Amino acid sequence: MSEKKAPGRGMRRGPMGGGPAAGMMPGEKAKDFGGSMKKLLGYLGKYKFRVALVMLFAAVSCVFSIMGPKILGNATTELFNGLISMITGGPGIDFGVIGQILLFLVGLYLVSALFSYIQGWVMTGVSMKVSYNLRNDIMKKINRLPLGYFDTTSHGEVLSRVTNDVDTLSQTLNQSVTQIITSVTTLIGIFIMMLTISWQLSLVALCIIPVSFFLVIQVVKRSQKHFTNQQKFLGDVNGHVEEMYGGHLVMKAFGGEERSVQAFDKYNDALYGAAWKSQFLSGLMMPMMNFVANLGYVVICILGASMAAGGSLAVGDIQAFIQYVRSFTQPITQVANISNILQQTAAASERVFEFLAEPEEVKETPVVSINRDDSKPDTDSCFHVQGNVQFAHVHFGYNPDKIIINDFSANIEAGKKIAIVGPTGAGKTTMVKLLMRFYDVNEGAILIDGYDVKNFSRNDLRSIFGMVLQDTWLFGGTIMDNIRYGRLDATDEEVIAAAKAAQVHRFVTTLPGGYGMVLNEEASNVSQGQKQLLTIARAILSDPKVLILDEATSSVDTRTEILIQKAMDNLMKGRTSFVIAHRLSTIKDADLILCMKDGDIVEQGTHEQLMAQGGFYANLYNSQFEKVSA
């Protein structure tokens, strides 16, 4: 794992824009709607009984809710008939019957609410389970991806799929399933109830549907591009804010405040324009729908009044019908919105499944394993590692069309200190990545004690090595936990012993909490030099057979470097060590120096031998002191 960094522009959806917007936001469309939904249904298939229960409860809740206006209309009719009876000298209003009707109505609504609550609770559980499983699969996938994927994909992009896309998927999944059921059930149920009251009025109400759909389509068509731009510009704003926050010190140091504000204003103005247009157009939806509905009410009231006057329709039925018409337009809007919600669901799931479909590291078939038990004898397939390393005509390129390591060959005996030097871009760190099999060679082979590294499992192979690189690897947690990451079963005493060997113990005891001090997210509550000392202590604790040091003391002062060098000398005794160094004065005592240039070893030998040759290494060594004297 590496030290956390600000995601920067790679994360297109940041904290300001997480999750789907409410209302009619079209969102991003999926390229393969059917394929994405099919894969998503595969995840839902594990919970098909719960989904069926949600569908049943949602339908029942809608049915009970739809019956309400009809029953309330009966109460209105009973009240109206009672008033007429009082005027004509009859017994008057029967409040007992009206009370029974209202009590039955309250019970109906309570049962509807109960079923609605249960289906919401169950569906929320299903969507959270799907999100949980997707995040688990993504986390496992991250550990199976080759390092090359992360070299070509920004951290923000990966984080966006783990957080924003899964969150969007969870929310829209929860909305889409329940809304499809309730909207369709409500539409069908309301229309049936309207037919039971009056087929003539129902035909008038049906005229609202095509007009409403036409208006919905027109608004969606015109607002969609603005919603798309809104998400795009929101990503620009988030990316800029994250970059400025992550690189705040650099921005301040180079006086970039004004340029930063100008860039933010540009993105923010674009976001404002797109957001204003999208919200304004979508805000027209309900006023237009209400206008059409009100026109329908006028026609229904006129026609219903004439039918009531003719005795073919009860007064309560007119009231119930108007309630149904008022409710009829709402599921129409929801049905139109469902298509957008499904598009959002498919788009989010497509990004997640694209990530899960990325090519993984080549399946390994271990031929040999490492014997860690000193009491067991070695066999052909299980042996104690000595630390002999051989590079046999290695060819490699991150892109197969562009080879950067050309015919690299070297034999390193166990227990030797090997220094790899050369100018920037010569291929020094690349060799280390190949040694640990972060990448596989294009041609040739790398052997450990005569065995090709491809014959080991990756975990077995990497357990041989201890690494200390220029970049510090610290995580959120205590100092004790960060050092113990080198060997998780180490005791506190072993951790402290490793810390003392790396010159860490003294400064840790001066910190608040000592070894129990918690490092923050960026590990910025300790200095860069202290962070590097901690990574060295972690490498010491792991007790590796092969040690890799890539400018391990580049961030510490000269006095601390001398102390660390002494500790490193003790650590490297009996171990094969690869030291990548730019300060050549630190590797003069190496058993072998490999001088690299343009992916090839141009010279090799001890410091004295190479200096006597007066070649590339000698020029490189002398140039460092020339710069100092200049």
Side-chain angles (χ1 to χ4, degrees):
M1 297 177 74
S2 62
E3 183 180 341
K4 301 178 181 69
K5 296 181 180 178
R9 291 290 177 84
M11 182 179 287
R12 303 307 299 166
R13 301 174 187 170
M16 297 182 186
M24 295 298 301
M25 193 183 85
E28 182 182 357
K29 289 191 175 182
K31 300 171 188 173
D32 181 15
F33 181 87
S36 300
M37 295 307 291
K38 185 177 180 181
K39 292 175 183 175
L40 184 58
L41 288 174
Y43 275 82
L44 280 172
K46 303 175 185 177
Y47 311 102
K48 53 189 175 184
F49 174 75
R50 296 187 191 182
V51 174
L53 195 66
V54 167
M55 296 173 70
L56 175 63
F57 277 34
V60 172
S61 174
C62 284
V63 168
F64 283 153
S65 180
I66 289 167
M67 292 171 62
K70 177 73 172 177
I71 296 171
L72 186 62
N74 294 337
T76 302
T77 300
E78 186 68 31
L79 181 63
F80 178 78
N81 291 337
L83 289 172
I84 297 298
S85 176
M86 288 177 62
I87 294 171
T88 57
I93 302 172
D94 190 345
F95 286 103
V97 173
I98 294 175
Q100 290 177 0
I101 294 173
L102 294 178
L103 283 174
F104 179 72
L105 182 63
V106 170
L108 202 66
Y109 281 139
L110 285 174
V111 172
S112 174
L114 177 63
F115 276 92
S116 179
Y117 171 78
I118 293 174
Q119 66 89 13
W121 181 73
V122 173
M123 192 61 216
T124 299
V126 170
S127 62
M128 291 301 104
K129 281 285 187 181
V130 170
S131 301
Y132 176 83
N133 291 336
L134 282 172
R135 285 198 174 96
N136 265 349
D137 289 346
I138 289 172
M139 191 65 240
K140 293 173 184 175
K141 180 73 176 186
I142 288 174
N143 292 328
R144 296 195 300 267
L145 286 173
L147 191 65
Y149 176 82
F150 300 100
D151 285 343
T152 56
T153 308
S154 68
H155 295 171
E157 179 65 19
V158 177
L159 289 173
S160 181
R161 297 186 191 228
V162 178
T163 55
N164 293 330
D165 289 324
V166 175
D167 283 343
T168 298
L169 183 59
S170 172
Q171 294 175 31
T172 55
L173 181 66
N174 199 356
Q175 292 177 39
S176 57
V177 173
T178 54
Q179 278 200 7
I180 288 172
I181 300 164
T182 56
S183 298
V184 173
T185 305
T186 302
L187 266 178
I188 296 172
I190 287 176
F191 185 65
I192 291 172
M193 295 303 293
M194 288 194 300
L195 285 175
T196 62
I197 296 173
S198 170
W199 64 268
Q200 297 96 331
L201 294 179
S202 298
L203 290 177
V204 174
L206 277 179
C207 295
I208 298 174
I209 295 178
V211 178
S212 299
F213 265 118
F214 175 77
L215 292 175
V216 167
I217 291 170
Q218 292 302 312
V219 171
V220 169
K221 189 186 298 182
R222 285 166 172 75
S223 64
Q224 183 167 6
K225 61 180 180 180
H226 299 301
F227 273 112
T228 303
N229 288 335
Q230 179 184 346
Q231 288 302 100
K232 175 183 177 298
F233 296 138
L234 183 60
D236 291 336
V237 169
N238 285 337
H240 181 73
V241 171
E242 287 164 359
E243 281 186 348
M244 291 303 100
Y245 179 77
H248 186 68
L249 291 177
V250 176
M251 185 265 291
K252 296 286 284 185
F254 286 90
E257 295 92 339
E258 186 175 348
R259 290 191 299 274
S260 174
V261 171
Q262 289 174 352
F264 178 82
D265 288 341
K266 176 185 173 183
Y267 296 135
N268 203 29
D269 288 343
L271 174 61
Y272 169 79
W276 185 90
K277 292 173 184 176
S278 61
Q279 297 301 325
F280 172 75
L281 287 172
S282 63
L284 294 176
M285 180 73 66
M286 291 314 297
M288 289 192 297
M289 296 279 288
N290 288 335
F291 175 72
V292 174
N294 289 334
L295 289 179
Y297 297 153
V298 172
V299 177
I300 289 168
C301 286
I302 294 172
L303 184 58
S306 63
M307 293 174 69
S312 61
L313 192 66
V315 173
D317 287 340
I318 297 175
Q319 175 231 317
F321 197 90
I322 290 175
Q323 280 187 274
Y324 282 130
V325 172
R326 184 177 292 276
S327 301
F328 199 48
T329 56
Q330 184 179 358
I332 294 173
T333 306
Q334 289 177 342
V335 168
N337 194 34
I338 285 171
S339 63
N340 167 55
I341 292 175
L342 290 176
Q343 286 285 2
Q344 286 182 313
T345 307
S349 62
E350 187 173 60
R351 281 172 53 82
V352 172
F353 292 129
E354 276 179 359
F355 179 77
L356 293 175
E358 287 289 339
E360 299 179 3
E361 286 184 322
V362 178
K363 296 273 185 180
E364 47 196 17
T365 52
V367 177
V368 292
S369 60
I370 297 170
N371 187 354
R372 294 181 175 83
D373 189 345
D374 293 335
S375 63
K376 290 184 178 179
D378 288 348
T379 64
D380 290 338
S381 60
C382 185
F383 69 99
H384 287 85
V385 173
Q386 302 301 315
N388 297 293
V389 179
Q390 181 183 2
F391 295 91
H393 304 288
V394 171
H395 293 74
F396 173 74
Y398 293 102
N399 185 334
D401 298 330
K402 188 177 181 182
I403 301 298
I404 59 174
I405 301 294
N406 301 286
D407 199 20
F408 184 103
S409 295
N411 289 310
I412 292 98
E413 296 179 9
K416 298 295 184 180
K417 178 180 178 180
I418 311 302
I420 305 176
V421 301
T424 301
K428 302 185 296 297
T429 303
T430 298
M431 293 311 305
V432 170
K433 291 179 179 180
L434 294 175
L435 189 61
M436 295 194 68
R437 208 184 166 198
F438 291 147
Y439 294 89
D440 284 327
V441 299
N442 295 93
E443 294 180 32
I446 299 175
L447 301 97
I448 303 290
D449 290 345
Y451 293 93
D452 194 318
V453 292
K454 293 181 180 178
N455 292 332
F456 297 87
S457 71
R458 287 185 176 86
N459 286 340
D460 229 10
L461 175 67
R462 290 166 188 168
S463 68
I464 301 171
F465 297 93
M467 291 183 69
V468 181
L469 304 184
Q470 297 178 65
D471 296 328
T472 51
W473 304 353
L474 295 177
F475 325 111
T478 65
I479 290 176
M480 180 75 75
D481 291 337
N482 270 277
I483 299 176
R484 186 179 277 121
Y485 196 79
R487 182 158 57 89
L488 296 178
D489 59 350
T491 64
D492 289 354
E493 290 74 20
E494 289 173 321
V495 171
I496 293 172
K500 288 179 178 178
Q503 312 300 316
V504 166
H505 181 73
R506 183 176 178 182
F507 88 78
V508 168
T509 55
T510 65
L511 297 173
Y515 287 93
M517 175 181 167
V518 176
L519 301 177
N520 60 23
E521 185 178 359
E522 300 292 337
S524 59
N525 48 347
V526 292
S527 71
Q528 182 64 31
Q530 290 171 335
K531 285 192 281 187
Q532 203 151 39
L533 288 170
L534 290 172
T535 62
I536 293 169
R538 186 163 58 204
I540 292 173
L541 181 66
S542 67
D543 192 23
K545 289 293 182 182
V546 182
L547 192 62
I548 297 171
L549 306 173
D550 187 351
E551 285 293 318
T553 59
S554 62
S555 296
V556 297
D557 59 82
T558 305
R559 180 177 178 276
T560 307
E561 181 181 359
I562 294 171
L563 295 173
I564 292 175
Q565 202 63 52
K566 291 178 182 178
M568 285 300 178
D569 290 339
N570 293 328
L571 175 64
M572 289 187 284
K573 284 179 182 176
R575 293 182 174 85
T576 307
S577 303
F578 290 88
V579 181
I580 298 174
H582 290 109
R583 286 183 285 183
L584 303 186
S585 59
T586 62
I587 48 91
K588 289 193 294 184
D589 62 338
D591 297 304
L592 178 66
I593 298 175
L594 303 176
C595 189
M596 296 187 65
K597 181 184 179 185
D598 299 327
D600 291 317
I601 298 178
V602 292
E603 292 177 353
Q604 58 179 302
T606 63
H607 174 74
E608 289 76 14
Q609 291 170 343
L610 294 176
M611 289 299 292
Q613 291 179 15
F616 185 79
Y617 175 83
N619 291 334
L620 199 64
Y621 183 83
N622 292 327
S623 66
Q624 294 189 353
F625 295 97
E626 287 172 6
K627 291 178 182 178
V628 172
S629 61

